[in-house]
């Protein structure tokens, strides 16, 4: 678990290793992102499976945090249904410029959600979808 604290927390970064320990912390991080939006600019989770039920929690957090600029959820086992839930939060947030969803289980129908987000004004400058179905 890594965070950079200059003025508050700027970046949450979790990666494989103690995956079971980190799975329990994902909910807490989503709640923190929602309730302290001024201090969280980026979220990076890699190699830790995110349950579909938690995607709704992240979606609400993304809606509430208007300062979040970078989201990388790579190799997290995200499926189309999870991305659909997440896309609601992405459509509401007009600041996310970097979205990394590499190595998940997304199909073309799930990726249509990303297209819808872009059409709704998500200002992506970096989109990583490598290694999906």
């Amino acid at each position: 678990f890594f965070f950079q604290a200059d003025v508050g927390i700027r970046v949450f970064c979790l990666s494989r290793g103690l995956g079971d320990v980190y799975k329990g912390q994902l909910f807490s991080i989503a709640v923190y992102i929602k309730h302290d939006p001024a201090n969280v600019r980026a979220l990076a989770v890699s190699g830790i499976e995110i349950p579909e039920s938690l995607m709704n929690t992240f979606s609400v957090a993304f809606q509430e945090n208007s300062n979040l600029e970078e989201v990388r959820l790579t190799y997290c086992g995200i499926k189309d249904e999870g991305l659909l839930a997440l896309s609601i939060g992405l459509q509401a947030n007009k600041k996310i410029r970097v979205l990394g969803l590499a190595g998940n289980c997304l199909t073309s129908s799930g990726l249509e959600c990303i297209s819808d987000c872009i059409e709704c004004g998500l200002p992506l400058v970096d989109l990583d979808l490598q290694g999906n179905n």
Side-chain angles (χ1 to χ4, degrees):
F1 179 72
F2 164 82
F3 68 91
Q4 175 182 336
D6 292 337
V7 179
I9 295 175
R10 297 284 188 216
V11 177
F12 275 112
C13 181
L14 281 78
S15 62
R16 191 179 337 191
L18 300 174
D20 291 336
V21 174
Y22 292 144
K23 281 181 188 179
Q25 295 177 346
L26 286 173
F27 178 79
S28 298
I29 289 171
V31 170
Y32 184 84
I33 290 170
K34 176 183 175 186
H35 291 295
D36 195 3
N39 288 325
V40 181
R41 306 270 190 248
L43 170 67
V45 178
S46 181
I48 300 171
E49 187 171 334
I50 301 176
E52 192 174 316
S53 60
L54 193 53
M55 296 303 282
N56 289 322
T57 307
F58 275 110
S59 180
V60 171
F62 295 169
Q63 290 175 51
E64 300 290 326
N65 185 326
S66 60
N67 292 309
L68 193 62
E69 298 172 357
E70 180 175 339
V71 175
R72 294 183 189 273
L73 304 174
T74 58
Y75 301 94
C76 293
I78 298 171
K79 298 179 180 145
D80 293 341
E81 297 80 13
L83 184 57
L84 178 60
L86 192 66
S87 70
I88 296 166
L90 293 172
Q91 288 179 18
N93 187 315
K94 302 300 184 208
K95 276 216 143 162
I96 296 175
R97 299 170 50 84
V98 176
L99 181 60
L101 295 169
N104 286 294
C105 304
L106 305 173
T107 67
S108 59
S109 63
L111 298 178
E112 288 177 22
C113 296
I114 300 298
S115 177
D116 292 344
C117 291
I118 293 169
E119 288 177 12
C120 287
L122 187 65
L124 292 178
V125 295
D126 184 1
L127 175 61
D128 184 0
L129 299 171
Q130 296 179 65
N132 282 282
N133 295 335

